[in-house]
Amino acid sequence: MKGVMVAVAVVGTLAGVAACSSAATSQSINPTRTVTTTVTHQSAPTPGTTAPTHTSLPPTSAHAVQPTASVAITSPRATPTSRGGSSATATKVVIYDCGAQPVNQPVTFILACGDAGAALEGLGWTGWGEPAATATGRLRQNTCVPNCAAGGSVSYSATVTVSGLTNGRYTSMHINAPSAPAPSSDFRLGLNGPVISR
């Protein structure tokens, strides 16, 4: 009878050791959360002692943080608008030269169509295409000394204003050249070129 009790105690001890042989188990709860349970065990007791005790630690969980996407929304920039006449309109506005040809923002413009004895040179325009446009440059005139055929030329700083915009062309020109013999002069701009009006 004593031998049977020893055998039963040994079998019970081996069963306890087998139950506690696993140090830790992991169970996957879902793709984004894992629960880990840790089990500790004591060494197998000797015959005559109490059965091994199990201590379970509280499960720990690791949460996977899902990435978040941020979207930046940018308001479209407003396209600035230009003041005055647009470039498309400006290129359509002309004056006519002595050859009855339309010209746009001329750099040089002959005033005396008969002998080219007076002309505007080096013109730089602002406001072309608007009701009135202005340019700065020089007024060149023949001195006619000793005569107009053999005379030299002299130039004066000048400001030029064209106005009277009608049907895509300017019809009037005013020239202001303070140091010239005639400080101020006006021209009518026709289809055949400029004609002095005063």
Side-chain angles (χ1 to χ4, degrees), residues 160-171:
V160 182
T161 302
V162 290
S163 58
L165 183 57
T166 305
N167 297 325
R169 70 182 182 93
Y170 292 111
T171 57

Side-chain angles (χ1 to χ4, degrees), residues 90-109 125 128 166-170 189-194:
T91 57
K92 296 179 181 179
V93 176
V94 299
I95 56 178
Y96 284 81
D97 63 13
C98 291
Q101 296 299 312
V103 292
N104 179 277
Q105 303 183 66
V107 176
T108 300
F109 190 73
W125 294 93
W128 190 273
T166 305
N167 297 325
R169 70 182 182 93
Y170 292 111
L189 302 176
L191 297 177
N192 295 313

Side-chain angles (χ1 to χ4, degrees), residues 95-98 103 105-113 115-125 128 133-142 153-163 170 172-178 180 182-189 193-196:
I95 56 178
Y96 284 81
D97 63 13
C98 291
V103 292
Q105 303 183 66
V107 176
T108 300
F109 190 73
I110 295 175
L111 297 172
C113 292
D115 60 2
L120 296 168
E121 299 175 335
L123 298 176
W125 294 93
W128 190 273
T134 304
T136 56
R138 299 191 70 80
L139 170 64
R140 177 183 56 80
Q141 291 180 326
N142 190 334
S153 63
V154 63
S155 62
Y156 311 94
S157 296
T159 300
V160 182
T161 302
V162 290
S163 58
Y170 292 111
S172 299
M173 176 181 286
H174 175 76
I175 300 172
N176 185 34
S184 178
S185 56
D186 291 286
F187 290 81
R188 185 176 67 256
L189 302 176
V195 177
I196 191 166

